[in-house]
Amino acid sequence: MIDKTVSSALEAISDVQSGMTIAVGGFGLCGIPENLIQALIDRQVVDLTCISNNAGVDDFGLGLLLQRKQIKKMIASYVGENAEFERQMLSGELEVELIPQGTLATRLMAGGYGMPVIYTPTGVGTEVAEGKEVRKFTFHGVEKDYLMEHAFEPDFALVKAWRGDRMGNLVFRGTANNFNHAMAMCGKITIAEVEELVEPGELDPNYIHTPGIYVSRIFQGELYEKRIEQRTYSTKES
């Protein structure tokens, strides 16, 4: 058995250096690696290129790294909840690459599958396609243009799971599965924090989302806030 456990978030990211590219899991504020983000703050790692579904909010998630000017470039599909992100982007302090959400997910998975590129019709004829190769393919009997996009190859992937074992097998819960699995696949080194760390054999293999082959380090996190990005209320009519 390969025991991949480390004692803390700080130990897990001890070799993350300034200027690196990191992929960060989560969907909105759901399933984000809160402990690992705080460890990056504590170590004052800067000039990061971050690949994520979103940029957090002003005072939580990746928004904390933006607040401290630790992110140089943001690659994401949705950034609408962060005023500081908007300010830095409009002032030219932050480089931004917006990607269609399906393309983002597929480029992440392609990195995990060992595929250097993908072809997608999404973005053809728009600003997304500027400077990129476009090829014609016939698919289901229809010929059309497809945009070539490169797979992601981040130095590190930081993910958060509900449960995991010492071999790195991960189980996500609900919406947290949306991007964490794809992020875990593509990292050259993948670090997972979990709410509950268990012994090998305790996880039902039928419900493992990410096999341990993708995970390099794992630890049990603590003090999760699990904030809600936007609260929606319904009124019950009498």
Side-chain angles (χ1 to χ4, degrees):
M1 184 191 80
I2 301 175
D3 190 336
K4 299 179 179 179
T5 55
V6 293
S7 62
S8 66
L10 278 172
E11 181 184 349
I13 67 153
S14 61
D15 51 350
V16 177
Q17 302 298 320
S18 295
M20 284 186 167
T21 297
I22 60 172
V24 183
F27 190 75
L29 299 182
C30 181
I32 64 172
E34 297 177 35
N35 289 265
L36 289 167
I37 290 171
Q38 184 58 51
L40 291 172
I41 293 170
D42 293 342
R43 284 201 58 228
Q44 300 181 0
V45 182
V46 296
D47 293 329
L48 293 169
T49 294
C50 286
I51 306 166
S52 183
N53 160 252
N54 70 98
V57 293
D58 287 293
D59 61 345
F60 196 62
L62 290 181
L64 294 171
L65 294 176
L66 284 168
Q67 207 174 66
R68 292 161 175 78
K69 307 291 182 66
Q70 290 176 253
I71 298 177
K72 175 184 68 176
K73 180 178 181 179
M74 192 75 218
I75 301 172
S77 59
Y78 177 73
V79 292
E81 304 297 330
N82 195 316
E84 177 60 17
F85 173 94
E86 179 184 9
R87 188 197 67 76
Q88 289 187 27
M89 181 180 72
L90 294 176
S91 68
E93 297 172 44
L94 178 69
E95 188 179 347
V96 177
E97 182 180 348
L98 292 176
I99 301 176
Q101 189 154 272
T103 303
L104 175 68
T106 308
R107 289 175 66 183
L108 291 166
M109 290 188 290
Y113 292 141
M115 298 165 53
V117 298
I118 65 166
Y119 285 93
T120 174
T122 305
V124 171
T126 72
E127 290 183 10
V128 171
E130 289 181 5
K132 298 176 183 177
E133 180 179 339
V134 175
R135 289 189 183 184
K136 287 188 182 296
F137 290 96
T138 300
F139 188 60
H140 289 313
V142 178
E143 183 184 68
K144 59 182 177 181
D145 290 333
Y146 287 80
L147 180 63
M148 188 179 80
E149 296 276 13
H150 288 271
F152 286 121
E153 303 177 83
D155 299 296
F156 285 85
L158 312 181
V159 302
K160 187 257 181 178
W162 173 43
R163 303 181 78 202
D165 65 23
R166 294 180 179 276
M167 296 176 69
N169 298 302
L170 304 177
V171 178
F172 303 107
R173 194 173 188 181
T175 306
N177 193 23
N178 276 14
F179 272 91
N180 270 301
H181 174 62
M183 296 289 178
M185 289 175 65
C186 73
K188 294 175 184 174
I189 296 175
T190 293
I191 303 170
E193 59 177 86
V194 297
E195 292 183 44
E196 183 183 357
L197 184 63
V198 302
E199 296 300 322
E202 290 188 45
L203 298 178
D204 185 337
N206 293 297
Y207 295 98
I208 289 173
H209 294 112
T210 299
I213 189 68
Y214 287 113
V215 178
S216 309
R217 302 165 195 166
I218 188 170
F219 68 96
Q220 184 165 311
E222 56 185 8
L223 303 175
Y224 288 108
E225 289 190 49
K226 295 186 180 180
R227 290 198 198 176
I228 297 174
E229 195 167 356
Q230 291 185 3
R231 295 182 182 272
T232 302
Y233 300 93
S234 63
T235 56
K236 185 177 180 181
E237 295 183 4
S238 57

